[in-house]
């Protein structure tokens, strides 16, 4: 069974930094794109950024220059480094990934449970 588990959220002051982690576990044949989303209270789900298997990445305009996505393929982990955080970055952050498991070799999108990030003084 494939699982994604996020960690690293918390309370941080404006201008501070956090690094979120998303560990993928299970009997995995292949992982392609990995993404980070966020959802602020009362707002729609927003794509923060993504990283492809070749290492290419892109970000929402609201976080460009402040957030960086990286991956550790050996550990099936993807990171979201968040710098110069702002109160408007407050949200629940979710990772997802397109994964084919050995059980069926079918590419499926899996989601983590989310981790809360609160930016406040």
């Amino acid at each position: 069974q494939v699982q994604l588990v996020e960690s690293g959220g918390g309370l941080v002051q404006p201008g501070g930094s956090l690094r979120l982690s998303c560990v993928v576990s299970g009997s995995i044949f292949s992982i392609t794109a990995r993404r980070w989303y966020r959802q602020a209270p009362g707002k729609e789900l927003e794509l923060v950024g993504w990283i492809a298997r070749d290492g290419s990445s892109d970000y929402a305009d609201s976080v460009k220059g402040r957030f960086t996505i990286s991956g550790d393929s050996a550990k099936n982990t993807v990171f979201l480094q968040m710098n110069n955080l702002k109160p408007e970055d407050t949200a629940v952050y979710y990772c997802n990934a397109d994964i084919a498991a050995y059980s069926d070799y079918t590419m499926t999108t899996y989601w983590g449970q989310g981790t809360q990030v609160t930016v406040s003084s």
Side-chain angles (χ1 to χ4, degrees):
Q1 183 178 357
V2 175
Q3 285 189 317
L4 278 66
V5 178
E6 300 102 333
S7 62
L11 173 64
V12 63
Q13 292 186 343
S17 298
L18 280 176
R19 188 174 82 154
L20 306 184
S21 301
C22 174
V23 179
V24 181
S25 63
S27 184
I28 298 162
F29 171 68
S30 175
I31 302 176
T32 56
R34 292 168 289 179
R35 308 170 191 89
W36 285 95
Y37 285 82
R38 67 185 181 185
Q39 188 164 30
K43 294 190 176 181
E44 294 185 351
L45 196 64
E46 176 189 19
L47 175 63
V48 174
W50 53 263
I51 184 167
R53 190 160 54 183
D54 64 0
S56 60
S57 60
D58 201 5
Y59 303 89
D61 288 342
S62 58
V63 306
K64 275 184 181 176
R66 300 187 298 122
F67 290 12
T68 303
I69 297 175
S70 60
D72 183 337
S73 298
K75 297 182 179 179
N76 282 340
T77 302
V78 62
F79 303 99
L80 177 64
Q81 177 67 44
M82 305 184 293
N83 298 326
N84 190 22
L85 282 159
K86 304 176 181 181
E88 52 264 41
D89 295 318
T90 295
V92 178
Y93 284 72
Y94 301 89
C95 66
N96 86 4
D98 299 333
I99 298 170
Y102 278 110
S103 59
D104 57 13
Y105 295 97
T106 300
M107 195 64 67
T108 303
T109 300
Y110 292 86
W111 289 82
Q113 82 288 351
T115 185
Q116 175 71 46
V117 171
T118 302
V119 185
S120 175
S121 54

